[in-house]
Amino acid sequence: MKAHILATVACLALAPFAAAPAMAQSTDRAALEWDALYFANDSTLPFHAPDFTKITPEVMEVAFEKAMAIHDGEIAAIKNNPEAPSFENTIVAYETSGRMLNRVAAVFFALTGANTNDALDDIQTRISPKLTAHGDAITLDPVLFARVKAVYDNRAAMSMTLEDAALLEDTYEGMVHAGALLTAAQREQVKQLNTALSKTTTEFAQAARSAMSDQPLIVDTREELAGLSDADIKAAADLAASKGHPGKFAIALQNTTQQPLLPSLTNRATREKLFQLSFHRADGQRAVDTRMLAAKIATLRAEKAALFGAPDWATYAMWDRMAEKPKTALDFMQQMVPALAATQRRESAMLNEAIKADGGDYEVKPWDWYRYANRIKAERYDLDQDKVMEYFQIDRVLEDGVFYAANKLYGLSFKKRTDLPVYHPDVSTYTVYDRDGSELGLFYFDPYQRPSKRGGAWMSNFVEQSHLWNTKPVIYNVLNISKAAEGEVQLVSFDNVETMFHEFGHALHGFFADQRYESLSGTAVARDFVEYPSQVNEIWATWPEVLANYAKHYKTGEQIPAEMIEKIEAAGKFNQGYDFGETVTAALLDMKWAALSKDEAAAIDTPEKVDAFERKALGELGLEIDLVPPRYRTTYFNHIFSGPAGYSAGYYSYLWTQMLDQDSRKWFRDNGGLTRANGDHYRATVLSRGGTMDYFEMFRNFAGRNPDVTPMLEARGLTGGEAAE
Ligand SMILES: [Zn+2]
């Protein structure tokens, strides 16, 4: 399972600006206004791909203002329509409004995620609250809602397609969820809370990124980095120099609590320093402190939930999820805790033995964990990660692995192109062709880590599929693979191989979209469903026929030995106490924050109380928290504290969708695996359905029954109180 952020650009819920912001630059306003008109129409490039040669931060800021004004005009036209409310003149007119805004937002948020800079960050700070206010003004407009409600109340008498019905229900329920049924005074409070949330979550995201990118571990001597490869040491020297510490060495932090270089470092003091720097990121020990931002976000959310009569944010937020209720998600996770805790204790005892055998006189700590776990894994499975990497060259993985599997299952083919502008030289583009040879869409691949990119991996669209607009999907995958030094062959870890298959699973969900309306198209599905197709796609990374086609040694061209793959798969079941445990812990920590009542949240009013809350929340789970801390601590839990809603009360989705995933893998295995018939069936029942129908029904159409948790528990060795090894 790859924990990552799926960027969902919620362009629909965006809308009025008060006054034009003062531009920092003295750029000629008229020229900017002219350039901003670029977004007024579909791009003239193939597939309406964004023309990055015409897009600057300043142009986008002006375009946002114009787009919001135009959107306001479109909404006013719906409200002022003298005809009686109908599906076409109200629901469809609303769905199709704000098109320019969608175009600007799709490009802008792609760039702030994958290639940001100070100018973009500043604009985001200014524009986010305005976008929120704009969206609220529309979804909370009483005149607009009265028209939507009139159509909704008449739905039994109307003849509609299933997709029309889904659009009507989503539109109505979405407005109710936004507060359309509240009093005017309550609606005003909701608007204020949303604006405050938007501002605070943006601050959190920027502070957390700064704590990650601007505060590398700096060490004085090469000796302290003993164990790292020459390439890693050179990168550390380069980074230190670029940070103003020539002659020293710097290790950049990555997203998660665990850090990828920890297992290689032989110097235990350096390991501890690197881990502590990561673990104490943004918690006040250094310049950045996000604790009060997290507390404020939790309070604002609990206050908002209370306005809707919900006891807590989790109850309010889960209304449109597959799981629907916090209790369903919590029970689902709690049932894993006893076996998981037992596995963690068993694994730590095993690691302590390994440390002792190594001559160490200490008990295992989180910063030692992977060093020894990897060593045991290497001994037991005789698996050298560097050797494994030699079989995974990035272009081969993408074109002969990821694309190949998509060809076998779905009949897709791909052609690289070099004629389209990209936002960074590392980004490549491909035309995707469907099973009948027609053009299906456009794919952008942006694989490498850089300081301007936020951590993690994600997929999103520049252009959404829609039969109404006659648009085909333009999709990007963003990853954070360490870039090889100049002139070196670009190899990737097996983990990143799986991430590439995973992200492309999201891309397939987007490419196979077959909807009339953008807001129901492709990956516009519930948060606890969206990670399901992407995880299913990971199964093909180790499918023998696929492997044989792409996993070849970069020097000799030899195929990866079958026993190496068997070992990778066996090793994949090793260390579940940590690997799975850190995700379950993060998911439960998320739920603890989301389950606070308004009063409970407000009582967390000092940084020390944030520390205490987190300690208590983690302590009462019944897991071995000191050994296996959460994958993200509160202070850098971007998934739940970045973005007005983010993945809050939704991190469990990664686990929930694993249930769907493992059960679906079983279906593929039981039905002959990598075949066009299986691919076409999955495409027809799940991948092409977007958000147009009930998720349990979708799953039943695919598998012929309801999802079953057993395959997931078995895959993790979590079937009893004491897990088997
Ligand atoms: Zn994903």
Side-chain angles (χ1 to χ4, degrees), residues 2 4 502-503 506 531 534:
K2 295 279 137 324
H4 82 303
H502 175 102
E503 294 309 327
H506 287 305
E531 293 299 322
S534 52

Side-chain angles (χ1 to χ4, degrees), residues 20 26 36 74 82 103 121 123 149 163 202 335 362 414 439 569 578 581 587 596-597 681 690 725:
S26 59
E74 293 164 343
R103 287 190 201 101
D121 283 352
I123 293 170
K149 190 168 185 301
E163 186 174 347
T202 301
Q335 70 182 324
Y362 54 87
F414 302 82
E439 289 181 334
E569 298 212 300
Y578 204 113
L596 291 170
S597 72
H681 176 62
E725 226 173 90

Side-chain angles (χ1 to χ4, degrees), residues 443-711:
F443 178 62
Y444 289 65
F445 183 59
D446 179 5
Y448 303 122
Q449 191 184 17
R450 54 178 170 262
S452 62
K453 196 187 268 189
R454 70 164 194 254
W458 60 93
M459 163 275 184
S460 193
N461 286 54
F462 284 125
V463 178
E464 299 279 351
Q465 178 276 339
S466 158
H467 293 309
L468 187 65
W469 297 117
N470 202 19
T471 48
K472 295 177 180 210
V474 177
I475 289 175
Y476 53 91
N477 278 177
V478 181
L479 289 86
N480 266 280
I481 296 170
S482 305
K483 197 175 178 182
E486 194 73 41
E488 302 274 318
V489 176
Q490 180 68 52
L491 302 174
V492 296
S493 66
F494 182 69
D495 235 27
N496 278 321
V497 170
E498 283 193 312
T499 304
M500 287 169 66
F501 276 87
H502 175 102
E503 294 309 327
F504 199 74
H506 287 305
L508 289 169
H509 200 185
F511 282 126
F512 291 144
D514 190 16
Q515 277 70 51
R516 181 170 170 80
Y517 306 114
E518 277 184 332
S519 66
L520 299 172
S521 175
T523 56
V525 296
R527 189 146 290 163
D528 56 1
F529 192 79
V530 74
E531 293 299 322
Y532 156 50
S534 52
Q535 295 192 40
V536 167
N537 204 50
E538 291 179 35
I539 190 178
W540 311 116
T542 50
W543 201 262
E545 187 186 345
V546 181
L547 266 176
N549 197 59
Y550 81 95
K552 295 174 183 169
H553 196 276
Y554 80 103
K555 276 187 190 154
T556 66
E558 274 171 76
Q559 215 166 295
I560 193 165
E563 63 184 47
M564 192 178 257
I565 290 303
E566 282 160 23
K567 285 173 183 170
I568 289 177
E569 298 212 300
K573 292 182 181 144
F574 178 76
N575 201 40
Q576 290 303 296
Y578 204 113
D579 287 350
F580 192 61
E582 67 168 2
T583 302
V584 174
T585 307
L588 286 163
L589 177 62
D590 165 34
M591 273 296 179
K592 298 272 181 182
W593 276 109
L596 291 170
S597 72
K598 190 173 121 177
D599 293 341
E600 288 166 342
I604 303 175
D605 56 0
T606 65
E608 292 70 30
K609 287 184 190 169
V610 173
D611 294 338
F613 172 78
E614 187 188 73
R615 242 191 336 270
K616 181 170 178 295
L618 295 175
E620 67 196 13
L621 297 182
L623 290 162
E624 298 294 325
I625 290 307
D626 292 338
L627 292 169
V628 184
R631 188 170 168 85
Y632 306 95
R633 274 185 75 210
T634 298
T635 54
Y636 50 92
F637 207 155
N638 270 303
H639 297 71
I640 66 170
F641 292 121
S642 290
Y647 259 73
S648 65
Y651 200 76
Y652 77 87
S653 303
Y654 287 113
L655 306 167
W656 180 266
T657 48
Q658 270 185 56
M659 167 179 69
L660 303 177
D661 161 39
Q662 290 292 344
D663 200 15
S664 300
R665 291 182 188 212
K666 182 176 164 11
W667 184 92
F668 274 104
R669 280 192 297 264
D670 291 349
N671 287 276
L674 185 85
T675 67
R676 264 299 293 282
N678 285 347
D680 286 346
H681 176 62
Y682 192 51
R683 175 177 178 171
T685 52
V686 176
L687 293 177
S688 62
R689 295 293 165 158
T692 58
M693 59 193 284
D694 177 80
Y695 300 107
F696 279 100
E697 192 185 338
M698 221 185 273
F699 190 91
R700 280 193 297 270
N701 287 346
F702 164 62
R705 53 178 170 71
N706 273 326
D708 175 11
V709 74
T710 315

Side-chain angles (χ1 to χ4, degrees), residues 115 171 277 398 439-440 502 548 698:
N115 201 32
T171 306
L277 188 71
L398 182 67
E439 289 181 334
L440 183 63
H502 175 102
M698 221 185 273

Side-chain angles (χ1 to χ4, degrees), residues 377-395:
K377 196 154 117 180
E379 283 165 5
R380 188 173 294 178
Y381 305 106
D382 188 23
L383 204 54
D384 178 337
Q385 296 299 337
D386 290 341
K387 287 250 183 318
V388 172
M389 273 176 81
E390 292 178 354
Y391 292 92
F392 298 120
Q393 203 185 326
I394 192 160
D395 295 337

